[in-house]
Amino acid sequence: MYSLMIKQFLRSRVALVAVVLTLFMGVISILIGKQFLLKQEDTIARVTEQQQQHIERNVAAHTDELGLLLYYVRFALISPPDKLSALSIGQRDVTPGIQSVTIRALEGQKYDTELANPTQQQSGNLDLGFVIIYLFPLVIIAFTFNLLSEETETGTWRLVAVQSRSTFRYLLSKLSVRALFLYGTLFVLLALAVVIIGVPLNGAFAGFVALGVLYLAFWFALCFWVVSFKRGSGFNVLTLLSIWTVLNILLPASVNSYVTAAHPIPESLATTVQQRNSYHEKWDMDKKVTMDKFYAHYPQFARYGVPDQEFKWLWYYAMQQMGDDESATQSQAMRAKIIQREQTSRAIALAVPTLHAQLQFNDLAQTSLGNYVGLLDSATTFHERLRLYFYPKIFDNVSAKGEDWSRFKPEYIRAEPQISWVTMLAPLVVMVLVLAVWALRNARRLTSL
Amino acid sequence: MTRTTIGLIARQFCTTAAHGRALYSILLIMALMLGYAAYSGYKTYTDQNNIREHYQRVVRESWEGNPDKHPHRMAHYGSFAFRLKHPLSQFDFGLESFTGNAVYLEAHKQNSVNFSEATFSTGLLRFGEISLALLLQLILPLFIVFLGFSAVSADREGGALKIMLIQGASWRSILVGKSLGLMALALLVFVPVACVTFVMLLLADEPATGDTVWRYILLLGGYLLFLQIVCVITVIVSAVSASSKMALMNLLGIWLLLAVLLPRTLQALGSYVYPSPSKIEFETAVEEDVLKEGDSHNPNDPHYSALKDSVLRVHHVDSIQKLPFNYSGFVMREGERISANIYDRHLKKLLSVYKQQNSLNRVMAFVNPYVAIRNISMALSGTDFESYVAFQHGAEAYRYQMAQTMNELQMEYISTQQTSISHDHWKELPEYRQEPVSVTSVLKNEVWSFIALLAWGMVAVVLIQRISKTAKAL
């Protein structure tokens, strides 16, 4: 009977066109992801190559004054993109993956953005995550909305009811034929992604597959649930498409607007203005004021005292330090707000499968807002380490010649994704079960015509 | 005769719809979403503009509050430009969330515009934002489809169509009448949105100028035309489809394709076909060009030593100390001019790549009326790409003015005896003001989108004529 059902399914042109179209869009999305990844990797290669030349050029120009040299020299901290990020680009195109900083005040440097076309960002990326979250449900709807109604509307349902042992089992096998094709498409695309992009077969990828499979299962369950009410084709397609619109457009857009409006971040502007003022105003103050504050922060340098010359790099870097120290409150508040946004979004997403899938895909690919905050935090530690390494050398006026500059290669941070399988999969499992059980109860009444 | 027939058919369509429950649930949902979209648009606009205006004032006060100092110190102290939202951004958010909001302006250096809403957003932002414009562009057409897919096909299936035609109603009056009836239902949503937007403009801190009023009127006109096109297409598809069910399928397919899938796909393809440089590529290119012109800090640089010789010759002196102005201020002014020009050239090139990326989608306006209205709406609401570019240019122009004012003060007053100048001079730099983009330049930028929308209006009329001749009653 299965082979007949498959034949019947393939008879309809819509089915073939939909599968081919999904495959086509999937392949495009994989290519776009690959291009994205290549660009990021190319940028990283450039940064690595340039840091060497950049340091050599500056060392040659400012050998005598280490303080002046370090005014110019930039050190890169790189968060290399995970291969999986090609499948779920997430925030990675908005937030930079490289922090290239001098040892001057960090707050004025770390929020610099990557160049990007805002129109492109607004329209959103076409990655495999999008194809799974957005397009697959549409195909599932197109395949299943008339699962039962086409039989009743063409008059074949009575025949089925009489001839098959269980009408319910009949419907289920019809559904499974459709599921077979769609999951087949999904697996083909995932396999292509592995081949084209070279995604490693690790835990994160397994998570990606599991999430994709369950997400599609949710939509199958939802469609079957709607179908089980035994209404007409028109009613089913209207209902399902409305649900799709609500889950993929209206709810996410509303939730996002809510999060943005509920947690505005004026602290960002406060931070940027404060760090500028705190550093610059020190030029017009008595040196002692700055130095006292500096030594309060770093007592280990107190022996350098208050310089009496008009200009000294010791004083200069102490002033720069004040830019960071005195805007720390604002900066912390901004960070707290960002985390708050992330948490609110996550909490709401637990109840909305589309949002949940998107955020979890991003987590697996390490392209979420949380990963960006992670990079900012790492940049702070990285910067502090450089600072504390160079400060005494600058204060002692050590020559740049004594330093082995080739040691200063870009540093990489590589965080393994923390996969919490339960949080990731449980919401979808629960929803699939609830819908399936409900649909089953409805389906029992199907046999009575 | 025809006019009354059209009116009759339109009225009958509305009364039939009023009997169904669907209309009321749709109106209720739309009302809720309208309220929510309006509130979040208003709140974001008010909050953000208050915050930004506040910091713009703070920055100005701290600029003027600086004590006496060397003007070049002031040029490094610098200033900020915060991007203000247009009052109509309450209606259409456009690119607002993806464009930076704050840029630090200092001598020698063009900083990036930072703190876009997108950098603080979770992955949810990619699903879009709920604005009044989104309701009119995306959701209302879907509801028009829901209400109108069976406009003609149901009459055909119920046999009423035959009777109407026999009684003398022409196909043309049926199609026109149904389209107008459908449009009347769409107005039940559109008119409240238009009124709410009007109230929002009145509530905005910024007093509504003639320019804003023109933008508002053009917006209304554009959306009315767009919605009428959607209504006509819906009725026509209903008339030519084999059954109501088929009509619904066709219409939903068209909606998905035109409003959801094509725009995103074409934009992504545009970026794929025309790759843009990364920041490090861009900055390296600028730096290389600047170094080619000469290094103002290097005393042996050929460009600057030639400059020095010619300046000395013109003023008939043999050393820079004898010049009537401060020479290092002069060199800095020259260096700023050169680097700003180079930066500007590279920025123009970058922006043209972005325009190429967007072009694939923009030409689609002729195939896809949704793209046309989207572009028009963003541009009129001051939230499009061009408005952002205008902000960027304005901020850079102010930065240049600031740096050169300080360089000129240095040329005039600074000497070996005098290393700082009075703080009274700081006021000589005017306050930063965001120059508004005029509605005429919007019309110029979006001329093709307007033409495309008008062309669609004409296509709708032609289609009605065509279908009137070929449509079948059975």
Side-chain angles (χ1 to χ4, degrees):
Chain A
M1 192 170 77
Y2 261 109
S3 62
L4 281 176
M5 275 182 169
I6 292 173
K7 251 186 209 162
Q8 183 211 16
F9 174 66
L10 288 180
R11 235 355 114 58
S12 80
R13 247 185 335 163
V14 181
L16 264 177
V17 170
V19 168
V20 172
L21 203 71
T22 318
L23 272 176
F24 176 71
M25 294 291 283
V27 171
I28 287 186
S29 77
I30 292 170
L31 292 179
I32 286 174
K34 187 179 167 94
Q35 192 199 37
F36 166 81
L37 198 64
L38 285 179
K39 188 175 168 185
Q40 295 245 321
E41 285 169 349
D42 176 60
T43 307
I44 290 173
R46 264 171 208 273
V47 170
T48 312
E49 183 196 309
Q50 267 165 3
Q51 176 149 330
Q52 222 49 44
Q53 298 169 355
H54 166 78
I55 292 182
E56 279 165 23
R57 199 171 58 223
N58 278 291
V59 169
H62 316 283
T63 332
D64 318 326
E65 259 182 296
L66 193 60
L68 182 64
L69 173 63
L70 288 163
Y71 174 93
Y72 291 108
V73 173
R74 292 180 168 276
F75 303 92
L77 176 70
I78 297 170
S79 144
D82 195 281
K83 293 272 185 206
L84 210 53
S85 68
L87 304 190
S88 186
I89 296 172
Q91 291 301 94
R92 193 65 202 223
D93 64 331
V94 176
T95 54
I98 299 174
Q99 290 275 326
S100 189
V101 294
T102 69
I103 66 162
R104 287 179 277 154
L106 179 64
E107 290 296 328
Q109 309 178 56
K110 71 172 171 181
Y111 308 108
D112 281 355
T113 48
E114 179 56 60
L115 294 175
N117 176 359
T119 317
Q120 159 64 25
Q121 293 186 333
Q122 190 239 13
S123 109
N125 279 305
L126 186 69
D127 50 20
L128 191 61
F130 166 79
V131 172
I132 294 174
I133 292 171
Y134 239 69
L135 299 189
F136 268 92
L138 287 173
V139 182
I140 294 176
I141 293 173
F143 281 5
T144 52
F145 76 93
N146 59 0
L147 199 66
L148 173 59
S149 52
E150 72 173 348
E151 308 265 1
T152 50
E153 281 157 22
T154 52
T156 47
W157 185 241
R158 281 163 194 281
L159 283 175
V160 172
V162 174
Q163 289 177 349
S164 61
R165 256 184 303 156
S166 152
T167 47
F168 174 65
R169 200 168 293 165
Y170 171 79
L171 275 187
L172 217 53
S173 27
K174 251 183 109 176
L175 188 71
S176 60
V177 167
R178 281 142 182 83
L180 189 77
F181 274 88
L182 272 176
Y183 277 117
T185 314
L186 177 69
F187 288 127
V188 167
L189 287 175
L190 287 169
L192 281 175
V194 170
V195 175
I196 295 176
I197 294 168
V199 180
L201 302 171
N202 54 16
F205 183 69
F208 197 93
V209 175
L211 198 61
V213 167
L214 268 175
Y215 179 75
L216 295 197
F218 162 76
W219 279 97
F220 272 113
L222 181 75
C223 290
F224 194 58
W225 174 71
V226 170
V227 164
S228 73
F229 284 95
K230 224 183 146 189
R231 304 288 292 264
S233 301
F235 176 86
N236 285 353
V237 78
L238 272 181
T239 311
L240 285 170
L241 202 75
S242 303
I243 295 177
W244 181 88
T245 310
V246 168
L247 288 182
N248 263 321
I249 299 176
L250 287 178
L251 255 182
S254 310
V255 171
N256 186 62
S257 297
Y258 165 74
V259 173
T260 316
H263 309 295
I265 311 192
E267 289 83 357
S268 60
L269 304 189
T271 308
T272 196
V273 171
Q274 183 64 47
Q275 60 86 18
R276 194 265 318 236
N277 289 356
S278 299
Y279 154 62
H280 274 278
E281 71 190 13
K282 303 293 183 297
W283 282 92
D284 307 311
M285 287 182 181
D286 187 31
K287 291 192 178 63
K288 192 171 178 327
V289 178
T290 310
M291 296 319 297
D292 284 350
K293 283 183 180 167
F294 184 70
Y295 295 141
H297 186 163
Y298 297 116
Q300 67 265 43
F301 299 131
R303 63 196 155 94
Y304 290 101
V306 179
D308 40 16
Q309 298 97 319
E310 187 171 347
F311 179 83
K312 206 159 184 228
W313 287 108
L314 165 64
W315 176 51
Y316 177 80
Y317 283 102
M319 292 196 289
Q320 284 284 350
Q321 180 79 43
M322 291 306 113
D324 282 349
D325 287 7
E326 292 175 12
S327 63
T329 332
Q330 287 86 346
S331 176
Q332 282 304 318
M334 163 161 66
R335 188 179 180 282
K337 279 277 184 71
I338 298 177
I339 303 280
Q340 206 176 11
R341 280 188 171 192
E342 173 92 344
Q343 281 168 348
T344 313
S345 305
R346 270 170 202 283
I348 299 173
L350 286 178
V352 188
T354 46
L355 302 186
H356 183 70
Q358 180 67 71
L359 292 182
Q360 294 296 329
F361 277 147
N362 288 353
D363 275 352
L364 291 168
Q366 302 188 55
T367 55
S368 70
L369 181 62
N371 294 116
Y372 175 58
V373 176
L375 175 65
L376 290 180
D377 290 348
S378 307
T380 310
T381 343
F382 172 72
H383 185 260
E384 187 68 10
R385 190 152 43 78
L386 284 171
R387 221 177 212 173
L388 287 178
Y389 177 77
F390 283 116
Y391 273 174
K393 300 197 172 209
I394 296 171
F395 303 162
D396 286 330
N397 216 353
V398 175
S399 164
K401 281 199 192 108
E403 193 66 53
D404 175 15
W405 292 101
S406 63
R407 237 163 33 87
F408 293 94
K409 299 207 165 60
E411 287 188 23
Y412 293 83
I413 48 169
R414 201 179 271 286
E416 287 304 312
Q418 305 284 321
I419 311 174
S420 45
W421 291 88
V422 177
T423 334
M424 181 169 77
L425 302 179
L428 288 171
V429 172
V430 169
M431 281 183 241
V432 170
L433 286 178
V434 168
L435 286 167
V437 169
W438 194 335
L440 254 135
R441 282 191 39 181
N442 285 343
R444 249 190 243 147
R445 278 175 284 142
L446 281 178
T447 27
S448 56
L449 284 174
Chain B
M1 166 65 196
T2 25
R3 184 162 295 175
T4 48
T5 322
I6 291 173
L8 218 66
I9 291 170
R11 210 165 318 129
Q12 185 263 345
F13 181 82
C14 291
T15 31
T16 318
H19 285 309
R21 255 185 315 167
L23 179 67
Y24 299 103
S25 38
I26 283 175
L27 285 179
L28 181 72
I29 295 167
M30 282 307 264
L32 288 174
M33 287 195 294
L34 192 158
Y36 186 70
Y39 174 72
S40 55
Y42 172 75
K43 185 166 185 315
T44 308
Y45 167 80
T46 324
D47 284 358
Q48 289 297 331
N49 267 8
N50 283 343
I51 293 168
R52 293 174 201 176
E53 276 169 345
H54 168 74
Y55 282 104
Q56 197 72 63
R57 273 197 305 278
V58 166
V59 164
R60 180 66 191 180
E61 279 159 22
S62 63
W63 171 269
E64 290 182 5
N66 264 280
D68 300 356
K69 61 171 77 174
H70 193 290
H72 195 61
R73 279 251 57 78
M74 267 318 259
H76 275 288
Y77 181 76
S79 189
F80 292 86
F82 299 110
R83 194 169 55 82
L84 284 183
K85 285 169 172 281
H86 192 279
L88 275 167
S89 71
Q90 300 176 88
F91 168 78
D92 190 342
F93 301 169
L95 307 181
E96 286 288 285
S97 294
F98 297 89
T99 48
N101 297 318
V103 55
Y104 177 40
L105 311 171
E106 58 178 328
H108 318 309
K109 192 163 176 255
Q110 287 83 356
N111 289 306
S112 58
V113 190
N114 293 343
F115 303 119
S116 72
E117 206 55 71
T119 47
F120 300 136
S121 290
T122 55
L124 304 192
L125 182 58
R126 297 322 168 81
F127 289 96
E129 295 165 285
I130 195 153
S131 66
L132 292 173
L134 177 98
L135 295 185
L136 293 187
Q137 288 168 13
L138 208 58
I139 308 301
L140 187 53
L142 190 60
F143 284 152
I144 291 177
V145 167
F146 285 5
L147 291 172
F149 72 90
S150 62
V152 181
S153 54
D155 281 349
R156 182 190 287 130
E157 284 153 13
L161 193 60
K162 267 186 295 190
I163 299 170
M164 279 155 77
L165 287 168
I166 289 167
Q167 287 180 341
S170 67
W171 259 109
R172 205 180 135 266
S173 50
I174 292 175
L175 293 179
V176 173
K178 299 271 185 190
S179 306
L180 289 178
L182 195 53
M183 183 67 184
L185 298 180
L187 286 180
L188 290 178
V189 177
F190 177 77
V191 172
V193 172
C195 294
V196 166
T197 310
F198 188 73
V199 173
M200 285 166 127
L201 287 181
L202 290 181
L203 288 177
D205 298 329
E206 199 180 311
T209 57
D211 192 81
T212 312
V213 174
W214 271 113
R215 282 168 180 264
Y216 177 71
I217 291 170
L218 284 168
L219 264 181
L220 294 191
Y223 273 103
L224 278 175
L225 183 55
F226 169 70
L227 292 174
Q228 187 62 70
I229 292 167
V230 176
C231 290
V232 170
I233 292 176
T234 305
V235 170
I236 285 176
V237 171
S238 175
V240 298
S241 296
S243 63
S244 293
K245 198 182 106 186
M246 280 312 292
L248 180 63
M249 297 296 158
N250 292 338
L251 284 166
L252 291 180
I254 292 172
W255 178 80
L256 275 174
L257 192 69
L258 296 190
V260 181
L261 299 182
L262 264 187
R264 189 164 176 142
T265 311
L266 285 172
Q267 187 66 46
L269 280 178
S271 306
Y272 186 78
V273 178
Y274 303 105
S276 55
S278 62
K279 189 168 165 187
I280 184 146
E281 270 178 78
F282 180 81
E283 284 181 344
T284 314
V286 174
E287 198 181 288
E288 275 170 11
D289 278 2
V290 172
L291 282 178
K292 249 183 249 162
E293 285 288 328
D295 180 359
S296 61
H297 289 97
N298 181 359
N300 303 321
D301 183 85
H303 177 91
Y304 286 95
S305 58
L307 180 74
K308 186 167 112 185
D309 292 343
S310 70
V311 171
L312 293 180
R313 215 173 314 119
V314 168
H315 289 274
H316 307 291
V317 287
D318 54 5
S319 77
I320 52 172
Q321 281 78 23
K322 291 182 187 156
L323 284 170
F325 52 81
N326 178 286
Y327 182 69
S328 60
F330 175 81
V331 167
M332 228 131 33
R333 189 177 73 173
E334 174 73 2
E336 189 71 60
R337 187 183 63 79
I338 292 174
S339 63
N341 273 338
I342 291 171
Y343 179 82
D344 197 48
R345 208 166 59 224
H346 282 273
L347 183 67
K348 280 206 179 100
K349 215 159 67 188
L350 177 72
L351 293 177
S352 73
V353 175
Y354 289 163
K355 275 188 189 156
Q356 278 179 318
Q357 295 184 337
N358 303 344
S359 64
L360 223 59
N361 213 356
R362 294 182 65 84
V363 295
M364 287 309 279
F366 284 93
V367 188
N368 187 350
Y370 166 75
V371 170
I373 190 65
R374 200 187 59 171
N375 291 339
I376 290 172
S377 176
M378 273 199 291
L380 287 170
S381 304
T383 56
D384 65 333
F385 185 63
E386 295 295 336
S387 310
Y388 178 61
V389 171
F391 164 75
Q392 257 187 320
H393 284 322
E396 166 59 15
Y398 184 76
R399 186 197 73 77
Y400 186 72
Q401 185 189 13
M402 176 191 78
Q404 297 303 49
T405 311
M406 293 304 121
N407 287 334
E408 275 151 25
L409 285 172
Q410 178 172 348
M411 283 172 67
E412 200 174 335
Y413 297 106
I414 296 298
S415 61
T416 37
Q417 292 83 34
Q418 195 188 355
T419 54
S420 83
I421 61 171
S422 156
H423 62 272
D424 294 331
H425 290 291
W426 309 149
K427 285 203 180 75
E428 286 170 25
L429 178 74
E431 279 185 54
Y432 167 75
R433 214 171 279 286
Q434 192 170 321
E435 285 304 318
V437 180
S438 74
V439 68
T440 30
S441 66
V442 170
L443 289 175
K444 223 160 55 193
N445 289 332
E446 289 300 335
V447 64
W448 288 110
S449 303
F450 278 106
I451 291 177
L453 197 62
L454 289 173
W456 266 100
M458 281 186 299
V459 167
V461 174
V462 172
L463 273 178
I464 287 194
Q465 299 291 357
R466 266 286 190 72
I467 305 298
S468 305
K469 288 181 190 129
T470 56
K472 295 183 180 70
L474 292 170

